[in-house]
Amino acid sequence: NMTLHYLKIAWRNLLKYRTQNLISIIGLGVCLLCFTVCMYCCRYILDTDACFENSSRMAELHLERENGDVFSGTPARLVERLRTMSWSTAEAFTFVVYPHERTYHVEADEGEELLPFDPLMCMEVDSCFRQVFTPHVVTGSWEAASQTPNAVVLTRRTAERMFGSVADAVGRWMVTADKLPYSRKRGGVGYTVQAVIEDIPENTSLCFMERLDMLVLNDSDGLLNYGKRDEMTGGVTVALLRSGVAPAKLEAELRERDLRQTLYEADCPVRAEAFGKVFWQYSVAPYFVGVSFALGILVLLVGLFNFFYFLVGSFFSRSREYSLRRVLGGGVRQLLGQLFTQAVLVVLLAFLL
């Protein structure tokens, strides 16, 4: 009964000073909203690569410079050398080319003419990509894609944008409209859709904050078939470690074998790090997290300061009422209970808003 009485008093006071309380509720509500968005952004970035089931078992390979730094990528030849060797720490190796946009003419309806489509974010991969990164195949066959020249694997969202449904995507024809980075042709390279996978989130170190539309395998005009691929980096080599093996053990095995790769006329040792570690060292992701967190805390502090400012002002404006209640026998405990109930009611309304 006493709690219900406090709620009635608090509600009446909110209506009595409606303008002041409305400003307080709206201000605190916007503050909580902005704080929540900032914390969501922090969490989203901190969860980078968490979408990959094997993220804890993955290691990224790098070439070490003379000064101890590492190159931003590795040449495609390295992964082929690694696969010819027997490893006690790794199950598989894959090479992922840096993503870039491509423009295609697409067979919208089977058997009809090709129509231009928006530029698509494309990433060239090899057949071991699925074993390491475990994308979920919705329809079609990854095995068929790994054995077919110029095979395309679309994401679900892109397949639905292009063809209306996932079921209609497999078997469709796509032709490049512009020159590819590693091709001599000015477009006209044909590709076929062999499979559709679930969307890959944007918070991955492979394509950070970019929507990935498609994967390409056995690309005749891609980096993996480029004649000068040994003279450049252009991609990332990732190892799938055996169960219970840490990246440090792969690093120790590499040092024991003294494995080296020639790049830019330099004999570079091959090193292994936990997948994503170099990304956090050299990308802008930590700055995004720091700025988002700082903005969230700042907005929360300003909002709470304004809220308490209005709340204290409301309490002081009712000092005469409190004096009368003390004269009529109200104790400090009862008055604090009323003030606390009103504050909780304001916070609840702001949260709901």
Side-chain angles (χ1 to χ4, degrees), residues 250-268:
L250 176 58
E251 167 69 9
E253 189 171 8
L254 288 170
R255 289 183 179 273
E256 181 181 352
R257 298 190 180 196
D258 193 24
L259 184 65
R260 294 173 177 270
Q261 178 71 31
T262 301
L263 182 63
Y264 306 138
E265 300 181 354
D267 199 21
C268 304

Side-chain angles (χ1 to χ4, degrees), residues 11-170:
W11 183 253
R12 289 173 181 173
N13 281 289
L14 289 180
L15 295 179
K16 182 178 180 181
Y17 303 97
R18 60 173 62 91
T19 301
Q20 184 176 1
N21 287 305
L22 182 62
I23 295 174
S24 177
I25 291 172
I26 293 176
L28 185 58
V30 173
C31 157
L32 293 175
L33 174 63
C34 295
F35 174 76
T36 304
V37 171
C38 290
M39 292 302 104
Y40 173 80
C41 291
C42 290
R43 180 182 176 184
Y44 187 75
I45 298 175
L46 289 173
D47 282 342
T48 295
D49 294 329
C51 60
F52 301 129
E53 296 179 7
N54 297 326
S55 59
S56 61
R57 295 176 51 203
M58 291 158 60
E60 191 172 343
L61 276 67
H62 302 278
L63 300 184
E64 189 177 56
R65 301 172 184 261
E66 293 182 357
N67 59 3
D69 294 337
V70 296
F71 287 97
S72 59
T74 56
R77 178 71 68 182
L78 176 62
V79 71
E80 298 175 0
R81 290 184 57 198
L82 294 170
R83 288 173 182 159
T84 61
M85 304 170 67
S86 177
W87 297 89
S88 62
T89 55
E91 292 183 5
F93 298 91
T94 187
F95 184 79
V96 181
V97 181
Y98 296 138
H100 60 277
E101 284 191 344
R102 294 186 180 184
T103 304
Y104 287 91
H105 292 289
V106 180
E107 183 185 22
D109 293 315
E110 191 171 358
E112 295 190 3
E113 64 176 335
L114 303 179
L115 300 175
F117 201 79
D118 292 337
L120 301 172
M121 185 61 69
C122 168
M123 189 166 66
E124 183 185 358
V125 300
D126 56 25
S127 58
C128 293
F129 179 84
R130 187 186 184 191
Q131 182 180 356
V132 177
F133 290 93
T134 63
H136 176 66
V137 178
V138 178
T139 185
S141 170
W142 183 271
E143 289 72 20
S146 63
Q147 299 174 9
T148 304
N150 292 349
V152 166
V153 177
L154 297 175
T155 61
R156 177 191 287 270
R157 178 170 46 190
T158 303
E160 292 175 348
R161 285 177 56 211
M162 280 184 167
F163 309 110
S165 66
V166 173
D168 296 333
V170 177

Side-chain angles (χ1 to χ4, degrees), residues 220-287:
S220 61
D221 292 271
L223 174 62
L224 291 174
N225 288 311
Y226 184 51
K228 299 181 180 180
R229 58 179 182 165
D230 297 337
E231 303 172 10
M232 55 182 294
T233 56
V236 180
T237 301
V238 181
L240 177 63
L241 304 175
R242 300 187 185 277
S243 181
V245 175
K249 291 186 177 180
L250 176 58
E251 167 69 9
E253 189 171 8
L254 288 170
R255 289 183 179 273
E256 181 181 352
R257 298 190 180 196
D258 193 24
L259 184 65
R260 294 173 177 270
Q261 178 71 31
T262 301
L263 182 63
Y264 306 138
E265 300 181 354
D267 199 21
C268 304
V270 181
R271 296 291 179 253
E273 297 274 4
F275 181 68
K277 181 178 180 180
V278 174
F279 165 78
W280 282 103
Q281 288 178 345
Y282 296 101
S283 74
V284 297
Y287 301 101

